[in-house]
């Protein structure tokens, strides 16, 4: 497979979409990101790295980071995790409050904001220093010890994150948030505020393409079955109320963020990451989804 040619073709075909859509407005630090960026990277299990455009430029990974939190919480609690959070698609926006009341404070899945706040609560209860554990895990899987939190983005979202505070207080009333809400938000907003580039993101998801083992080092992260479950959740819930459309168009498990990043995994082969800050109506990168659709169409490879 000539991935460099494929990336060039994708880059050309998505160019009319680059700069289209809306950069996330509700986090002031993200509203300032230039909308016309586009990068894409492919990392294979065999160690090949291919990239194009702004693939080496850092951006705010936002909800893509929920996969790191989920991986760590799943390792800590095992099957007991599913007593605190469901595994069904929500069919609602990522920051929706409505289901929580009639489902008694148990979020539909770990990838909507409510679910990830529960993950942050679990990490706070189970780990001595969750922020340190999370960033060390990301550095290890991405093979870059310099990856860090972007404190400006984190501070910016802390001021405007009223919905997330509301979700956490509400779940506290059902005893599904057990630590002080400010502490839970601090952990959650920190992992959303990690700054990375497409190459690092694609590389860091390779353990999910490799049945739970980091390919270059052979280090065990998850069992084969646990990795399967996280990939299944990405396929069904990773793009919120656009997950069905993403599965239909792309055919890979993926996770998006309002920074405009999307990472997808092709089991036993590769990780692929895209970045385009202009978002569609569901809060996912417009150019990013198109690029991934072209990737599976041009290569003829997907999980189906
Ligand atoms: O909590 C929030 O709203 C953001 N920190 C993350 C949301 C997000 O990335 C949704 N993804 N498309």
């Amino acid at each position: 497979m000539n991935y460099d040619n494929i990336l060039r073709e994708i880059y050309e075909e998505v160019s009319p979409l680059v700069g289209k859509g809306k950069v996330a407005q509700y986090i002031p630090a993200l509203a300032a990101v230039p909308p016309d960026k586009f990068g894409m990277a492919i990392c294979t299990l065999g160690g090949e790295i291919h990239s194009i455009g702004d693939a080496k430029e850092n951006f705010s990974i936002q909800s893509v980071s929920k996969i790191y939190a989920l991986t760590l919480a799943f390792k800590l609690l095992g099957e007991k995790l599913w007593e605190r959070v469901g595994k069904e698609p929500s069919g609602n926006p990522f920051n929706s409050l409505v289901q929580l009341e009639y489902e008694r404070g148990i979020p539909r899945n770990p990838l909507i904001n409510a679910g990830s706040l529960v993950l942050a609560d679990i990490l706070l209860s189970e780990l001595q220093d969750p922020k340190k554990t999370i960033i060390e895990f990301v550095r290890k899987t991405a093979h870059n010890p310099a990856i860090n939190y972007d404190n400006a983005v984190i501070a910016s979202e802390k001021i405007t994150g009223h919905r997330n505070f509301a979700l956490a207080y509400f779940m506290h009333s059902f005893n599904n948030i057990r630590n002080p809400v400010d502490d839970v938000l601090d952990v959650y907003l920190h992992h959303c505020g990690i700054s990375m580039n497409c190459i690092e993101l694609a590389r860091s998801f390779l353990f999910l393409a490799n049945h739970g083992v980091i390919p270059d080092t052979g280090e065990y992260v998850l069992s084969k079955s646990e990795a399967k479950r996280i990939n299944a959740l990405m396929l069904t819930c990773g793009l919120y109320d656009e997950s069905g459309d993403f599965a239909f168009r792309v055919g890979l498990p993926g996770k998006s963020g309002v920074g405009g990043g999307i990472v997808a995994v092709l089991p036993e082969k590769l990780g692929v990451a895209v970045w385009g800050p202009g978002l569609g109506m569901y809060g996912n990168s417009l150019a990013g989804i198109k690029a991934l659709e072209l990737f599976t169409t041009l290569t003829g490879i997907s999980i189906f």
Side-chain angles (χ1 to χ4, degrees):
M1 194 78 71
N2 191 330
Y3 289 124
D4 288 319
N5 282 350
I6 285 167
L7 284 177
R8 268 194 291 274
E9 198 170 337
I10 293 172
Y11 193 75
E12 253 171 53
E13 273 205 51
V14 294
S15 68
L17 273 181
V18 174
K20 297 274 162 44
K22 245 185 136 82
V23 174
Q25 300 294 314
Y26 70 101
I27 304 171
L30 294 189
V33 172
D36 56 349
K37 298 282 180 182
F38 179 81
M40 184 161 185
I42 297 164
C43 294
T44 69
L45 290 186
E48 281 176 52
I49 298 175
H50 304 267
S51 70
I52 198 156
D54 302 310
K56 292 183 182 145
E57 192 170 322
N58 276 20
F59 60 92
S60 190
I61 70 167
Q62 292 297 320
S63 289
V64 173
S65 67
K66 292 170 175 175
I67 298 304
Y68 305 128
L70 174 59
T71 300
L72 293 170
F74 197 17
K75 273 171 82 68
L76 288 161
L77 290 200
E79 294 303 309
K80 281 191 118 26
L81 176 62
W82 314 117
E83 293 168 13
R84 303 274 305 269
V85 62
K87 29 185 152 57
E88 286 295 336
S90 74
N92 277 315
F94 62 87
N95 56 4
S96 172
L97 288 129
V98 290
Q99 271 165 348
L100 269 187
E101 182 162 24
Y102 54 83
E103 294 182 358
R104 305 204 55 77
I106 308 291
R108 267 290 171 98
N109 68 65
L111 301 181
I112 49 175
N113 286 11
S116 296
L117 288 162
V118 170
L119 300 176
D121 186 62
I122 290 166
L123 297 180
L124 262 170
S125 298
E126 301 289 326
L127 297 169
Q128 223 154 31
D129 188 344
K131 289 189 283 189
K132 186 162 176 266
T133 304
I134 293 168
I135 202 72
E136 281 175 355
F137 178 69
V138 174
R139 288 170 181 160
K140 179 170 67 182
T141 54
H143 300 271
N144 182 357
I147 290 171
N148 224 329
Y149 295 115
D150 181 337
N151 290 316
V153 172
I154 294 161
S156 168
E157 195 175 358
K158 229 172 226 184
I159 296 167
T160 55
H162 312 299
R163 288 186 80 95
N164 285 327
F165 280 92
L167 287 165
Y169 277 114
F170 196 52
M171 289 189 287
H172 215 304
S173 75
F174 289 104
N175 194 34
N176 201 20
I177 291 287
R178 298 169 185 175
N179 292 281
V181 165
D182 282 348
D183 297 348
V184 174
L185 264 291
D186 188 56
V187 170
Y188 169 79
L189 295 178
H190 265 79
H191 69 64
C192 287
I194 295 172
S195 176
M196 287 168 78
N197 66 36
C198 288
I199 294 174
E200 291 159 355
L201 275 175
R203 207 163 173 198
S204 76
F205 271 53
L206 282 181
F207 71 94
L208 290 169
N210 195 37
H211 302 302
V213 175
I214 300 174
D216 320 281
T217 59
E219 186 176 330
Y220 172 94
V221 177
L222 294 170
S223 71
K224 194 172 178 178
S225 149
E226 288 165 339
K228 174 190 78 179
R229 287 172 181 205
I230 293 186
N231 285 333
L233 285 165
M234 285 205 285
L235 185 74
T236 52
C237 314
L239 276 84
Y240 316 108
D241 39 348
E242 201 169 13
S243 298
D245 196 54
F246 185 79
F248 182 84
R249 290 172 61 188
V250 178
L252 296 175
K255 184 73 207 82
S256 63
V258 285
I262 307 176
V263 187
V265 161
L266 182 63
E268 298 183 354
K269 284 210 164 57
L270 54 85
V272 50
V274 279
W275 175 45
L279 310 177
M281 63 184 289
Y282 301 103
N284 302 314
S285 171
L286 269 184
I289 294 181
K290 182 69 189 170
L292 290 169
E293 180 180 12
L294 286 166
F295 176 71
T296 51
T297 306
L298 294 172
T299 56
I301 51 177
S302 77
I303 62 166
F304 298 110

